[in-house]
Amino acid sequence: MINSNVQTIQKCLDDYMLRTGKIEIGEIEANQALACAGVLNDDQAHPGRPLREMLIKLRDTNLLPQNVRLMQGVWTIKHSKTMAKFLQILQF
């Protein structure tokens, strides 16, 4: 159930980023996009909170997608097609 929910959210965010021409968005903007699509409701008092809580649960269960990261207390989500599908070895 969690995996299908994550895939639905990822597809919705990818479509949003394609429409707006962005390759990376923050958690507040992502939660607003999901709320407009009817996938995940947003909290008016604390924008982005439902998505943050879900990302924390995914991180704790080691199911966090590769294109989502937490840096300095801020969650950022990249378009899923910008991530490499295989390991590249560079020789120097």
Side-chain angles (χ1 to χ4, degrees):
M1 180 178 137
I2 291 175
N3 195 21
S4 65
N5 195 18
V6 171
Q7 289 174 348
T8 303
I9 288 172
Q10 188 67 53
K11 182 178 179 344
C12 180
L13 291 177
D14 283 348
D15 292 342
Y16 171 78
M17 285 186 258
L18 278 175
R19 280 194 317 271
T20 58
K22 298 179 180 181
I23 57 170
E24 185 176 70
I25 58 175
E27 76 238 11
I28 294 174
E29 184 178 2
N31 208 156
Q32 289 173 350
L34 292 171
C36 288
V39 177
L40 182 66
N41 292 330
D42 199 2
D43 187 359
Q44 296 299 324
H46 305 283
R49 180 185 237 174
L51 183 60
R52 278 193 299 272
E53 290 175 353
M54 189 182 86
L55 293 174
I56 290 169
K57 287 179 186 175
L58 289 172
R59 181 192 62 191
D60 293 345
T61 58
N62 205 20
L63 294 174
L64 193 65
Q66 191 178 23
N67 62 326
V68 180
R69 64 179 181 210
L70 176 66
M71 290 188 64
Q72 299 178 353
V74 178
W75 289 97
T76 57
I77 303 164
K78 285 190 172 188
H79 192 282
S80 65
K81 302 299 182 203
T82 60
M83 302 307 293
K85 298 292 183 187
F86 53 89
L87 180 63
Q88 293 180 347
I89 300 174
L90 302 174
Q91 294 180 343
F92 295 103

